[in-house]
Amino acid sequence: MAVTIYYEQDCDPSVIRGKKIAVIGYGSQGHAHALNLRDSGCDVRVGLREGSSSWAAAEEAGLAVKTVEEAAEEADLVMILVPDELQPQVYEEQIAPHLHAGDTLAFAHGFNVHYGYITPPEDVDVIMCAPKGPGHIVRRQFTEGSGVPDLACVAQDASGRAWDTALSYCWGVGGARSGIIKATFAQETEEDLFGEQAVLCGGLVELVKAGFETLVEAGYPPELAYFECYHEMKMIVDLMYESGIHFMNYSISNTAEYGEYYAGPKVINEQSREAMREILARIQDGSFARAFMADCADGHKWLLEQREAINTHEIEQTGERIRQMFSWTR
């Protein structure tokens, strides 16, 4: 099914410029949204907890900074950009009491609305602007005159104008420069989680680790294994990103391309595809969300154990030594 894509001529900047915006959080996405909106001529204030380490950084960037409660009370559009696991408590205690009929509640990821951890009142609009890239890229591309594509979604249209607000907000952060894709909260949440888990983060990291470990176990130096299975990954992905798989295949040798068609389906085979289907089903039925939130409530015990395991893996120790050779990374 084809998606609908909107560009700058489809957006009305006056919509977002006419609102008082509170960006809650000043992390990766928070700083990008706040600064891009400010530079687009919008009325922005950042909401942070008292004592936040980000308070001074936001002020130094020329932004008005207030407590979350103060920012939410002032604003008629509240964009929540704190981590997923913190959003329900921040919303209930610091934002919900300050929402008024006709306000807009905005998100950059649908996790909490889709899985029911946040239930907004019926008299506010609920929208999403989800840039398809990390915050530092969202900011950098905006300052360079381009923009990261956005997904725009409406979960609740109390005013009858929620879609116009969503498009205008995406324009404000730069998404209309490259394209705004219309989606739903369910689509964004489930596809985003699946992509992260099966391909971009989970799948890619395990693929790199498995290749590295296979070569090292066979007696090859870890430094060579690192270059083959880790370092060159960026070069291949950059070729695909630039012009597609066909361009990557054009750019490599016939030997490499022949090996791709022979070996790729052996590594990513029907068993791998079945595992992907299981991952997607777990996301769709809420099992992943419940497990994640339970681990958060347990002090991130499982997450921290896994983080320690990858941080101390031989591939990371090897990479740290090798990257010291690269003057351009220092």
Side-chain angles (χ1 to χ4, degrees):
M1 179 167 53
V3 297
T4 304
I5 304 178
Y6 301 85
Y7 296 95
E8 289 184 295
Q9 66 269 22
D10 303 307
C11 306
D12 181 358
S14 68
V15 175
I16 198 63
R17 284 176 172 164
K19 293 186 180 295
K20 295 178 180 178
I21 304 166
V23 173
I24 309 302
Y26 198 70
S28 175
Q29 288 291 333
H31 92 281
H33 284 239
L35 293 171
N36 290 5
L37 289 165
R38 189 270 312 276
D39 291 350
S40 294
C42 299
D43 180 2
V44 181
R45 72 272 300 130
V46 174
L48 297 172
R49 61 177 174 78
E50 293 189 51
S52 169
S53 59
S54 299
W55 195 293
E59 285 188 329
E60 288 171 9
L63 293 161
V65 186
K66 302 177 181 294
T67 66
V68 174
E69 294 90 341
E70 290 170 339
E73 180 62 37
E74 280 188 12
D76 46 33
L77 187 153
V78 180
M79 167 58 84
I80 304 180
L81 292 174
V82 297
D84 289 331
E85 65 270 25
L86 302 181
Q87 287 187 17
Q89 183 176 2
V90 171
Y91 170 77
E92 289 294 337
E93 296 179 0
Q94 299 171 281
I95 296 173
H98 303 280
L99 287 176
H100 306 286
D103 283 353
T104 299
L105 191 62
F107 299 84
H109 181 40
F111 184 95
N112 281 290
V113 171
H114 180 55
Y115 292 118
Y117 294 104
I118 291 178
T119 303
E122 294 181 358
D123 57 2
V124 304
D125 290 345
V126 182
I127 68 169
M128 188 194 313
C129 169
K132 301 310 294 177
H136 70 280
I137 300 296
V138 174
R139 178 57 180 164
R140 187 177 75 196
Q141 291 197 1
F142 181 93
T143 61
E144 293 172 348
S146 61
V148 170
D150 293 344
L151 295 189
C153 316
V154 172
Q156 187 166 285
D157 187 5
S159 69
R161 300 183 299 274
W163 179 245
D164 292 337
T165 302
L167 279 180
S168 193
Y169 187 101
C170 290
W171 170 88
V173 297
R177 299 173 179 180
S178 52
I180 303 166
I181 302 171
K182 187 175 185 178
T184 67
F185 267 62
Q187 288 170 338
E188 187 279 334
T189 303
E190 294 172 0
E191 291 181 349
D192 187 71
L193 292 174
F194 176 81
E196 291 168 349
Q197 295 176 26
V199 182
L200 303 177
C201 303
L204 179 60
V205 168
E206 286 305 312
L207 181 64
V208 169
K209 281 171 52 186
F212 175 87
E213 290 167 354
T214 299
L215 286 174
V216 172
E217 289 169 2
Y220 296 91
E223 291 78 8
L224 297 185
Y226 175 89
F227 272 109
E228 287 301 325
C229 299
Y230 196 136
H231 177 78
E232 291 190 40
M233 180 72 70
K234 180 183 185 306
M235 303 173 193
I236 296 298
V237 171
D238 282 350
L239 291 171
M240 294 168 63
Y241 177 86
E242 180 180 339
S243 296
I245 295 173
H246 71 282
F247 180 72
M248 181 273 290
N249 285 332
Y250 168 79
S251 302
I252 63 178
S253 68
N254 288 337
T255 312
E257 185 180 4
Y258 182 94
E260 169 194 335
Y261 303 140
Y262 157 76
K266 292 184 177 296
V267 176
I268 306 301
N269 51 31
E270 183 53 35
Q271 184 177 359
S272 308
R273 295 174 189 275
E274 180 56 33
M276 288 185 176
R277 287 188 282 267
E278 292 175 4
I279 290 166
L280 180 57
R282 189 166 176 255
I283 290 167
Q284 291 171 327
D285 68 15
S287 299
F288 166 76
R290 291 189 292 273
F292 171 70
M293 294 299 270
D295 188 56
C296 293
D298 193 31
H300 297 291
K301 182 176 183 296
W302 188 84
L303 174 65
L304 294 176
E305 289 173 352
Q306 306 313 305
R307 183 180 295 168
E308 178 65 16
I310 186 60
N311 288 351
T312 57
H313 191 283
E314 185 180 8
I315 196 171
E316 286 296 87
Q317 296 171 350
T318 302
E320 186 174 357
R321 293 196 305 273
I322 288 177
R323 286 188 292 272
Q324 291 177 0
M325 300 162 45
F326 303 156
S327 60
W328 63 87
T329 65
R330 292 199 294 270

